[in-house]
Amino acid sequence: MPTQTKENYLKAVFSISQKRETVSITELSEVMQVSKPTVNSMVKKMEEKGWVVYEKYKPLKLTLKGKKVAALIVRKHRLVEMFLSKIMDFGWEEVHDIAEEMEHLQSTKFFDRMDEILGFPTIDPHGSPIPDKTGKIVNPNYLNFTVIKKGEKVKLCGLTNSSKELLLFLNKKNIKLGTELKVQEIELFDKSFEILLNDNQSIILTYDVCKCLLVEPM
């Protein structure tokens, strides 16, 4: 089984484990869009590499080694996204697929040089934290936009969902990282937000979109 496939599974387990300590085979099967027997086969290979602890019919758990390997894959992915965005002027909606391919390169020197060229960034183009060279991740204490009250002003710092569809939608609304958002009204019926942007443009965002925005007070 190619290393790339194993790393994709490991990254999926790591992503799920950011929300809860253990990961079920069913959940991993749904995320990877493959059958449970296929997941079981891969989990055994991951266990052989010392990445996970797994007992039949029980959830699996990342080992310390697994967490570090996964975090370093995420580091490469997010550094590539930042390089594409800042140095090559790709849009934030364009960088993910390219980074998915490049994150499997094994040259530490290559990514360390990329990090240096970028000035050692701590976040990627979507506001997600970039793990350091040891795999340590510092998660910022951003607020979810849905808790912001009428009259309050905040700055967009990150996203809970960086899907291409959402990013293209935000592009249409002239919203990007650093955009100032002032809550004008909150609709009681559907919880949609009327927002004043930093260019004084007034827009309406649904509650579902607002749930995807991570902000900090201004």
Side-chain angles (χ1 to χ4, degrees):
M1 186 71 69
T3 299
Q4 180 173 336
T5 304
K6 293 189 186 79
E7 290 185 348
N8 285 338
Y9 272 83
L10 178 63
K11 195 171 65 165
V13 174
F14 181 74
S15 177
I16 298 168
S17 69
Q18 297 298 290
K19 304 174 188 132
R20 64 190 69 84
E21 190 173 358
T22 58
V23 179
S24 72
I25 293 296
T26 299
E27 189 169 17
L28 186 55
S29 171
E30 290 171 353
V31 170
M32 299 303 296
Q33 297 183 326
V34 296
S35 68
K36 290 182 184 179
T38 299
V39 171
N40 270 311
S41 176
M42 178 55 70
V43 166
K44 290 174 184 176
K45 292 179 172 63
M46 293 168 67
E47 188 174 33
E48 289 170 3
K49 295 183 76 69
W51 291 350
V52 299
V53 175
Y54 175 62
E55 294 180 47
K56 197 171 183 179
Y57 305 121
K58 292 185 180 180
L60 59 97
K61 184 177 180 180
L62 281 174
T63 63
L64 289 176
K65 179 182 178 181
K67 288 178 182 178
K68 182 174 181 179
V69 173
L72 292 178
I73 296 169
V74 171
R75 167 180 166 80
K76 291 187 286 185
H77 182 104
R78 292 177 180 174
L79 279 173
V80 169
E81 288 192 331
M82 202 63 176
F83 190 87
L84 292 168
S85 174
K86 294 299 182 184
I87 305 300
M88 302 186 72
D89 203 29
F90 278 81
W92 65 345
E93 77 283 359
E94 299 178 289
V95 297
H96 176 77
D97 290 345
I98 302 172
E100 281 283 295
E101 297 180 30
M102 293 188 66
E103 69 186 25
H104 302 291
L105 295 175
Q106 298 303 310
S107 173
T108 301
K109 188 174 182 179
F110 175 81
F111 290 100
D112 286 349
R113 178 63 177 142
M114 184 180 288
D115 194 16
E116 182 182 352
I117 290 171
L118 288 167
F120 308 101
T122 57
I123 61 170
D124 74 3
H126 313 115
S128 299
I130 299 175
D132 67 17
K133 292 167 70 172
T134 68
K136 181 181 179 182
I137 301 178
V138 178
N139 289 301
N141 293 317
Y142 297 141
L143 299 173
N144 191 281
F145 189 63
T146 57
V147 306
I148 304 304
K149 307 299 182 185
K150 178 180 176 180
E152 294 181 343
K153 190 175 185 180
V154 296
K155 179 172 68 175
L156 180 65
C157 297
L159 303 168
T160 63
N161 167 11
S162 55
S163 69
K164 189 172 184 177
E165 293 76 14
L166 174 65
L167 298 173
L168 288 172
F169 173 81
L170 294 177
N171 285 348
K172 289 180 182 179
K173 299 296 183 180
N174 295 317
I175 296 175
K176 58 185 179 179
L177 291 191
T179 297
E180 297 175 8
L181 310 166
K182 183 177 181 181
V183 179
Q184 298 285 83
E185 292 287 345
I186 302 174
E187 177 58 54
L188 291 176
F189 175 70
D190 62 1
K191 298 183 181 179
S192 59
F193 280 60
E194 181 184 346
I195 298 165
L196 190 67
L197 302 182
N198 46 10
D199 60 0
N200 290 322
Q201 175 189 0
S202 182
I203 62 170
I204 303 292
L205 293 181
T206 67
Y207 185 80
D208 284 343
V209 169
C210 292
K211 282 195 301 184
C212 299
L213 309 182
L214 299 174
V215 301
E216 62 180 12
M218 296 188 64

